[in-house]
Every structure is written in structure tokens, then in C-alpha cells.
Amino acid sequence: MEVFSHFSEVSGLQANMEKSSIYLAGVTQEVKDQIVDEMHFTVGELPFKYLGVPLSSKKLNIQQCMPLVEKMVARIKCWTTKFLSYSGRLQLIKSVLFEMQTYWAQVFLLPKKITKLITSVCRNFLWTGTADTSRRALVAWERLCLPESAGGLNIIDVYQWNRAAICKLLWALAAKKDTLWIQWIHSFYIKKRNLDEMLTPPQASWLVRKIFDAREWLNTTNTFATLQSHCHKGKFSIKRAYQSFLPQWPNVTWKGITMGASTVPRHKFITWLAIQRRLATVDMLEKWGIKVKKKCVLCTSGRDETLDHLLFDCAYSSRIWNSLLRWMGINRQLTKWEDEVNWLAQQMKHNRARAEILKFLFAATIYNVWIERNCRRFQGVSHESS
Ligand SMILES: [Zn+2]
């Protein structure tokens, strides 16, 4: 679908090639009939709908955009999602958002309220398994949207992606692409003026004004050069522009432990939480006002359950991790959690094969300790004796 389908104010004809419909505006019924006769298209009515949302050059309201949110919620609800692990839900969110950025976000400028709503549906779903209840998130959404090297999960930030997609339209305008709507905007509004100096034409439609307004997001005195810097092989890359909009975070020292394909996704997610001290251990539950039995359920030490006890002060978990290290030929005294993570992060820098096995074992240990703890704490089931 061509973007020029948006511009109903263009006089003459617009064709939506995909559906072979023709959209006519600013012509008499007689001319209309002649064109339809000539071209054998069916006549489309404006505004037509794309994925349930009307295509329009006017500002979309919340109600018009709701079909997008409803489609997303429906996909989340139709899965037996309650039983998915965190990493399963993460995969589903990523695929739903990926579809969104591929289809919707490039065709519509979504109202900020809608991007917020989409984000909150995804956030609730990730942490609770349902689309409509709200609970405290273990990690802030902004953090999840960072690249993995910066400690995030590489989830698409819909708001920023949508802005980057609008920048692609601005780039087409600045690069004077040979399409009807661009030629039209140039001859009616720009009139050979400098794009950096001219004001947003107040008489233009809402969407055209928004494309001009996108210059502010770039924060530059040379719009074209900045947009060109986001190009790859002569084409504007929304991804590159998007990355430039994300907050710049330094790489985390432990990226080697959580990146790469050698760990099982569900192991990786729990490890990722633990490294950031965001596992919902008893000390964290208490901060949320949730009261549960304090004592560690994995050992008989009588110690309270904290992240530091569980990993690896606890006799149960330290025995597992120690034996796996020995099996790898590594004899060392286990240290406190942060130091253990640092030690492992160092190991990731040499001997690739050994590093891959180590991180697999590390994540598997943490995951299985956590699952055993949950079984004992919430279901009263122990797997130790078997
Ligand atoms: Zn313990």
C-alpha cells in the first residue's frame, strides 16, 4: 500500500493498487465515470479502512484506533497464555509488536494515548499473564526496550518506533522522492523553500503538518543530512532512526551472560531478573506488602529468604552450582552473588566453547533453583527426595 493513499485532499485520482480500488476527489461525477470506465477499477469510498482503522488525513481519535488494541488483546487472550512462562510471554509480545511495527505504525501516526495503552497491555501481560489486570512490574518498561547489550530485552518501544516511521515520510519529502503526494506537497507547500527554515504550513492537513513537525524530533539544523545518516544502501532505515531515539545507555558488564543463543530462553529470563536483583524473593515481596513465610524453603539453616541467600549462600543451591563447576574442572570458593556474576562475566571473554557451557549451566542452575523454590513455597511439593 502506498502512503499517498492518506492524502484525500489531493485533487485527481489515487489508486490503491493492492485492492485495485480507485479513490477520486475534487472531480465531477462525469469525469469520475469516465475514469472508472477507462481504468476498470471499482470506486472506493473515503475514508477506507485499513486493519479496521480509517485511513484519513485527519487526526485519528482514540476510538478509531481501538481496533488495533482490541486485535492485540484478542491475540493475547486466545493463547493459553496463563500457562506461558515469562519468556513465552516475551516471545508473544515481541511477535505482536513486530507485526504492529511492520503494518500499523508505518501507516498511522498513533495518538500517544494509544501507544501508552498498547504498552500497558504488553506490560501487564508480561508480568501477570493477563491483558487487563495491573500489578507492579519487576523491571521498568523503558529498561525492557533497551538493547540486550545495555541490559534490556530489545522490546519495541511503540511510541518511538511510530515517530521513526513518520521520519521516513519526512525523508521521502526531503529527498524529493518521485511520488504523487511528495510532488504535490512540494508544489503546494514547500515551493522551493528550505525545509530547515520554513514553518509548518498551517493550511495543510493534520498528517502533512505532523510530517513537517517531525523535524523537531530530529533536533538538527540540517534535516536532510540527519535523515540521510539513518539511511542504509540508499533507503531510509526506520530501525536506525528508532535506535537514535532510544535513550543511550552504556553496555552492562554482564551482557555476555544473557546474550546469545546457548541458554534456554526461560532460563535466560530468570537469570536476567536475578542479575538485576529483580527476582520476587521474600525480601522483595515484603517491600510490596505481601506477607509470606520468611524462612528459606530450600535448606534447614533457618535463614530468611533473600536473593543473596538463595544465590548462593543457601546449602541447596551452592551444592548444585559447586558440583557443576567442579564437573567443569573449576575449583573455587563461591562468593557473594554480585561477585559470582562478575566472575562469570569475566569468563565470557575467553575460550568461547567453555564460556557457552558455563553460561548454560549457570542459567540452568538459577532457573531450577527458582522453580524448586516456587514448588516448595506455593505447592508444598519437593523434588529433593526423588
Ligand atoms: Zn536456604
Side-chain angles (χ1 to χ4, degrees):
M1 173 165 305
E2 288 288 328
V3 172
F4 67 65
S5 307
H6 281 306
F7 297 91
S8 58
E9 63 187 88
V10 178
S11 300
L13 58 88
Q14 298 169 345
N16 171 1
M17 300 310 286
E18 204 173 78
K19 290 183 180 171
S20 299
S21 294
I22 193 164
Y23 296 86
L24 299 147
V27 291
T28 62
Q29 187 62 43
E30 197 184 336
V31 177
K32 207 176 192 177
D33 292 342
Q34 280 174 3
I35 294 170
V36 172
D37 251 13
E38 197 70 35
M39 303 188 73
H40 307 290
F41 285 145
T42 53
V43 180
E45 291 295 325
L46 281 169
F48 61 84
K49 289 190 170 184
Y50 181 64
L51 294 166
V53 178
L55 279 180
S56 156
S57 58
K58 297 193 183 80
K59 183 176 181 175
L60 292 172
N61 63 34
I62 308 292
Q63 227 42 47
Q64 287 170 315
C65 291
M66 278 315 279
L68 300 187
V69 181
E70 283 157 12
K71 275 190 173 74
M72 199 172 80
V73 171
R75 271 203 65 189
I76 284 174
K77 280 189 173 163
C78 82
W79 281 50
T80 48
T81 42
K82 265 202 154 166
F83 306 104
L84 282 179
S85 61
Y86 280 133
S87 64
R89 290 181 214 152
L90 177 67
Q91 285 314 310
L92 182 57
I93 288 171
K94 280 189 169 182
S95 87
V96 167
L97 290 180
F98 181 76
E99 278 175 23
M100 229 180 95
Q101 59 90 359
T102 325
Y103 301 110
W104 310 342
Q106 292 183 39
V107 191
F108 314 112
L109 179 58
L110 301 169
K112 203 169 180 183
K113 265 194 182 163
I114 288 290
T115 58
K116 275 191 177 170
L117 190 56
I118 289 167
T119 303
S120 84
V121 168
C122 290
R123 190 185 54 222
N124 293 338
F125 174 61
L126 177 66
W127 300 119
T128 69
T130 63
D132 41 24
T133 52
S134 175
R135 200 179 69 169
R136 207 179 279 255
L138 289 169
V139 180
W141 191 258
E142 297 74 48
R143 175 129 199 142
L144 305 188
C145 293
L146 294 176
E148 287 190 333
S149 57
L153 295 176
N154 220 3
I155 294 180
I156 288 171
D157 180 322
V158 180
Y159 174 66
Q160 299 293 8
W161 189 275
N162 200 199
R163 296 210 310 175
I166 300 304
C167 283
K168 187 177 180 179
L169 301 180
L170 180 63
W171 170 76
L173 203 59
K176 298 185 182 158
K177 288 282 155 194
D178 189 21
T179 66
L180 178 63
W181 72 270
I182 287 169
Q183 287 171 6
W184 182 77
I185 290 174
H186 271 280
S187 60
F188 275 84
Y189 296 131
I190 301 179
K191 296 173 179 164
K192 296 197 166 44
R193 280 180 292 174
N194 184 332
L195 197 59
D196 289 309
E197 288 162 9
M198 68 176 288
L199 297 173
T200 296
Q203 73 277 30
S205 70
W206 178 81
L207 185 60
V208 173
R209 290 201 310 274
K210 282 291 150 191
I211 296 171
F212 277 94
D213 288 347
R215 293 174 297 176
E216 288 169 26
W217 305 332
L218 298 168
N219 198 17
T220 172
T221 50
N222 191 337
T223 302
F224 185 61
T226 306
L227 291 168
Q228 273 309 100
S229 73
H230 299 315
C231 285
H232 181 62
K233 293 183 180 167
K235 278 191 175 171
F236 186 83
S237 159
I238 296 177
K239 192 177 175 186
R240 285 187 179 205
Y242 166 76
Q243 282 166 344
S244 78
F245 287 156
L246 290 183
Q248 298 303 305
W249 282 64
N251 285 351
V252 288
T253 51
W254 43 266
K255 66 183 167 69
I257 303 174
T258 50
M259 287 178 76
S262 57
T263 38
V264 178
R266 61 179 189 278
H267 298 179
K268 187 160 131 176
F269 197 98
I270 297 297
T271 306
W272 175 81
L273 283 176
I275 290 176
Q276 296 175 92
R277 306 189 69 88
R278 304 308 294 176
L279 265 189
T281 44
V282 169
D283 47 335
M284 184 179 276
L285 293 177
E286 277 195 331
K287 281 184 203 155
W288 290 355
I290 301 166
K291 294 230 175 305
V292 288
K293 201 179 82 177
K294 285 188 179 186
K295 302 261 174 294
C296 175
V297 289
L298 296 177
C299 67
T300 51
S301 69
R303 303 280 294 272
D304 287 352
E305 181 192 285
T306 60
L307 181 82
D308 291 296
H309 172 70
L310 217 53
L311 305 168
F312 291 104
D313 177 50
C314 182
Y316 177 87
S317 59
S318 63
R319 200 181 64 228
I320 297 172
W321 182 227
N322 249 327
S323 64
L324 288 170
L325 284 173
R326 274 201 304 276
W327 178 73
M328 289 287 290
I330 301 165
N331 277 306
R332 55 184 284 278
Q333 192 67 40
L334 295 193
T335 51
K336 67 179 187 347
W337 175 238
E338 262 80 16
D339 295 337
E340 207 59 24
V341 171
N342 286 337
W343 173 79
L344 192 69
Q346 285 302 320
Q347 304 305 305
M348 295 298 110
K349 293 175 181 165
H350 340 270
N351 190 337
R352 179 91 193 272
R354 179 176 172 275
E356 296 298 311
I357 298 170
L358 261 178
K359 79 174 169 187
F360 172 84
L361 294 175
F362 185 70
T365 303
I366 293 160
Y367 177 79
N368 285 298
V369 165
W370 186 244
I371 293 299
E372 179 65 18
R373 172 263 190 198
N374 288 344
C375 284
R376 291 194 193 183
R377 192 168 272 285
F378 302 119
Q379 294 164 20
V381 182
S382 165
H383 299 104
E384 173 124 84
S385 53
S386 60

